[in-house]
Amino acid sequence: MMSKLFSPVRKLGHAIIDAVLRLGFAARFFVAVIMASGTSFRRFSLVIREIYIEGFMSLIIISVSGLFVGMVLGLQGYNTLQRFGSESALGVLVALSLLRELGPVVAALLFASRAGTAMTAEIGLMKSTEQLVAMDMMAVNPLSRVIAPKFWAGVISMPLLAAIFSAVGIFGGYLIGVRFIGVDAGTFWSQMQAQVDVRTDVLYGVYKSFVFGIVVTVIALFEGFDAPPTAEGVSRATTRTVVISSLAILVLDFVLTAFMLGGN
Amino acid sequence: MERSTYDLWVGIFVAAGLAALLVLAFKAGNLGASDIGPGYTIKANFDDVGGLKVRAPVKASGVVVGRVTEIRFDPVRYQALVTMKINDAYRFPMDTTASILTSGLLGDQYIGLDAGGDSVMLKDGDTIRLTQSAVVLEKLIGQFLFNKAGEGGKTSAGLPSTAKAGGS
């Protein structure tokens, strides 16, 4: 009777202990990857190959999404601003929303679902087909040979992808706002240049995407490394990568924004 | 794929990313525009700087000639001390007036310089004597209400007597 009554509470406790344990494992995994990244810099071609797969291959989805997000911002921004007669602020609106928020966040979300899932699935499969164990047997540390290059490639690619997203997005806003709707090109750019600050707006976006790059790749690699070595285990790990990294991006974005705005 | 092919594409990717950052810094940001070049600093005391911010433009006849570099409170004179950097190409007489103006009805505030007729020019570190503070909307409204109340007092002075007359 008592044990039945307490079983939901026990389940809750189990879930929380499990979550804390996994968080601890992930933190130790992160430290282990950092410690094992010496090889990545001695043999930088390993990282370059991963940058090709993670960064360059994400270029098309990042540019197309950036273009459309910028175009939507141009349309929506114009529609709202012209009610207040201040459509001259369209450039500022497009640039600030892309640089501060949408660039880093949407690029990181796309990166998590485009490159993060691929990393998880690849490492999960390597684990389930015992390739990682085989490497260990051959005295090759899989952390330094497989995982650390992927980590550094993600950390390097993410800020670049976010910058490309923002730049293409601003071009999309220009395309709609200036070319299509007919806001004056001079005001569009001059207002943008007067209001966008390089240190607080452009650089804060870069910092954000740098943090997102670390978080997304660590989550993706850890989920793959920690996946049960079965077909189902790999598929669930891939799902978890998307869910956890998306949540982490959005929560961290709020925390980082609060710090950055609080600093002013 | 061969290693040199990877190198090529990654090189293109990294170059594109860095180019995007540069475009953001120069085209969208103010990295190119903010620097007014070599200049000299002058100071001005204001009773009230209103919403003036550091890096706000300093304009003469609507042309940007410099930027505000520092805004401090002067504890001796109990006034705001504004330091600004003016481009070397522009010289202003000693009796120049500095006023804090607003661009448009709700726009940002800037410092406007009106040149005087003095033959001595302002040098690096000089202080502008003639200044005009920012117009603070609350004070303006307060003054307007005060004046209205003053006028109202005159007319309403007659009212109680009529009310008294009506009441009795």
Side-chain angles (χ1 to χ4, degrees), chain B residues 25-69:
Chain B
F26 284 100
K27 187 80 184 172
N30 47 7
L31 202 65
S34 71
D35 195 29
I36 55 147
Y40 58 101
T41 53
I42 51 175
K43 297 186 178 97
N45 280 295
F46 291 96
D47 288 326
D48 195 334
V49 290
L52 190 75
K53 292 186 191 71
V54 174
R55 296 168 53 74
V58 179
K59 295 182 184 179
S61 312
V63 181
V64 178
V65 295
R67 285 199 186 267
V68 174
T69 51

Side-chain angles (χ1 to χ4, degrees), chain B residues 139-163:
Chain B
K139 283 187 185 168
L140 208 66
I141 293 171
Q143 206 161 25
F144 173 75
L145 288 178
F146 185 76
N147 289 347
K148 271 285 172 208
E151 285 169 29
K154 275 174 216 143
T155 50
S156 67
L159 273 175
S161 57
T162 51

